[in-house]
Amino acid sequence: MSEPSGVAGQVQHLAGAERPRIALLVPCLNESLTIGKVIDDFRAALPEAEIYVFDNNSTDDTARIARERGCVVFHEPRPGKGHVTQAMFRKVQADLFVMVDGDDTYSARDVRRLLEPVQSGRADMAVGTRLQEFSQGSFRALHVFGNRVLTGIVNSIFQSRLSDMMSGYRAMSRELVCSTPVLSSGFEVETELTIRALEQGFTILEVPLAYQERPAGSSSKLRTFRDGLRVMASIVNIFRSYKPFTFFGSIGLFFLVVGLGVGTVVILDYFDDRYVEHVPLAILATGCMILSFFTFGIGILLNTINERMREIAYTQRSLVRGGR
Ligand SMILES: Nc1nc2c(ncn2[C@@H]2O[C@H](COP(=O)(O)OP(=O)(O)OP(=O)(O)O)[C@@H](O)[C@H]2O)c(=O)[nH]1
Ligand SMILES: [Mg+2]
């Protein structure tokens, strides 16, 4: 993983603050069965944090229960965990952020262990990973498999060594929250957050934690195939826009290899009797070579634009570190 680019600034930032403001962010859709316990547990474990519950058109008592317990409740009209995360990043001001699901699957007892790397400046994002320790029934087998496959793809594209990219329990620095754009609308948001943080050179640290199953009567909002496909699509989109040379270069390489292979047949054909008999192959080879140059060109062009954008992002991050 890359050098902790934001850490020096973060250490300085926190050192200057008497007590960092901590925000606990809880996305909720119909979690009335568990939200009360989640709030009570986190209030006991982290009394200095302000708790924000983000509700999306819940049809049960989630919002009322949270309000009665003195939490700040925001209502987000656009459905989806991604939309809710966008609202969280826009509306809440703090020095340290902790995101946790409202379904009581993550333990409040682990919160300080999760916060510590970010608070001390060792990491910009600490992710509570679940795949080392989880109870029977807390995960559907297909989810474990899908998570491992998708995390593996991201690791190979971004040269990272993550084990659970989709965890909903994470601590983040103010700098990361202020400089990471969130554009996804649904469950692909955790993948997006992870990839964008990696791409910007933020340090991600994984903290293995326990994961327990939802209590009886509480239901998951995750739809295996639909949400799995959305995560896959968002990986492809982010890969294309953040690593354009690798993305378009791979396509260009494919056309180059096919063009050279087919072209060799055509050239040998020509040297045989000074006449090209396989005209369709000649057209195919020419087409492949043109497409290859095209895609390589697009890759180089987008890569150059990306470099410029990175320079702008770097300046913006300096501003985020400097001002409050
Ligand atoms: N506000 C809001 N919260 C949501 C929405 N979808 C899910 N959530 C919340 O996001 C958290 C994670 O959703 P879950 O359904 O538990 O998804 P998951 O943890 O990935 O999947 P499971 O392992 O099946 O629990 C829960 O607190 C949900 O209430 C949404 O559309 N709006
Ligand atoms: Mg859950």
Side-chain angles (χ1 to χ4, degrees), residues 256-301:
L256 186 72
V257 170
V258 175
L260 283 179
V262 177
T264 309
V265 175
V266 176
I267 289 167
L268 291 178
D269 179 17
Y270 176 77
F271 281 124
D272 222 18
D273 52 5
R274 304 267 152 198
Y275 184 75
V276 176
E277 278 156 36
H278 301 99
V279 177
L281 285 189
I283 295 172
L284 179 65
T286 313
C288 283
M289 293 311 277
I290 292 174
L291 279 176
S292 163
F293 288 130
F294 237 136
T295 38
F296 268 119
I298 291 173
I300 292 170
L301 194 72

Side-chain angles (χ1 to χ4, degrees), residues 26-31 54-56 76 78-81 84 100-103 105-106 130 138-140 143 166 185 187 190 211 214 219-222:
V26 194
C28 279
L29 178 62
N30 292 331
E31 303 291 2
F54 281 76
D55 177 46
N56 249 144
E76 169 55 45
R78 296 170 304 163
K81 195 174 180 184
V84 160
V100 69
D101 291 351
D103 59 0
T105 47
Y106 299 96
R130 310 161 286 176
S138 55
F139 264 128
R140 283 171 268 178
H143 289 185
M166 294 177 200
S185 54
F187 276 108
E190 278 107 2
Y211 190 58
R214 278 172 171 270
S219 62
S220 174
K221 316 297 173 307
L222 190 65

Side-chain angles (χ1 to χ4, degrees), residues 65-252:
I65 295 170
R67 221 171 272 119
E68 276 174 10
R69 281 175 161 74
C71 300
V72 181
V73 178
F74 282 109
H75 179 73
E76 169 55 45
R78 296 170 304 163
K81 195 174 180 184
H83 283 142
V84 160
T85 310
Q86 291 177 21
M88 286 169 171
F89 282 20
R90 216 176 42 242
K91 291 182 175 165
V92 179
Q93 299 283 325
D95 300 306
L96 296 162
F97 296 80
V98 178
M99 247 176 101
V100 69
D101 291 351
D103 59 0
D104 192 30
T105 47
Y106 299 96
S107 171
R109 272 179 292 128
D110 296 320
V111 70
R112 291 212 184 268
R113 218 147 55 82
L114 191 68
L115 254 179
E116 190 281 328
V118 182
Q119 194 154 13
S120 66
R122 280 195 299 126
D124 301 287
M125 171 148 75
V127 181
T129 59
R130 310 161 286 176
L131 302 181
Q132 287 82 0
E133 203 186 321
F134 56 90
S135 62
Q136 282 290 322
S138 55
F139 264 128
R140 283 171 268 178
L142 202 56
H143 289 185
V144 179
F145 175 75
N147 192 344
R148 289 216 162 108
V149 169
L150 294 168
T151 304
I153 294 174
V154 167
N155 282 338
S156 59
I157 298 174
F158 292 91
Q159 278 111 51
S160 50
R161 273 183 290 153
L162 304 173
S163 63
D164 176 14
M165 175 178 77
M166 294 177 200
S167 167
Y169 197 13
R170 46 187 81 210
M172 292 165 288
S173 68
R174 175 181 174 276
E175 186 186 351
L176 186 139
V177 167
C178 290
S179 36
T180 304
V182 178
L183 304 177
S184 45
S185 54
F187 276 108
E188 64 281 17
V189 67
E190 278 107 2
T191 308
E192 184 191 15
L193 262 181
T194 306
I195 297 178
R196 289 197 196 277
L198 280 175
E199 213 286 325
Q200 293 184 86
F202 283 118
T203 307
I204 302 180
L205 209 126
E206 292 194 328
V207 183
L209 304 174
Y211 190 58
Q212 64 229 10
E213 77 193 88
R214 278 172 171 270
S218 147
S219 62
S220 174
K221 316 297 173 307
L222 190 65
R223 277 177 277 172
T224 310
F225 288 104
R226 199 198 72 156
D227 292 315
L229 282 178
R230 288 179 65 147
V231 170
M232 191 63 221
S234 88
I235 293 174
V236 173
N237 276 338
I238 293 176
F239 178 33
R240 194 195 54 222
S241 56
Y242 279 110
K243 301 265 181 192
F245 187 72
T246 320
F247 184 86
F248 288 100
S250 313
I251 300 174

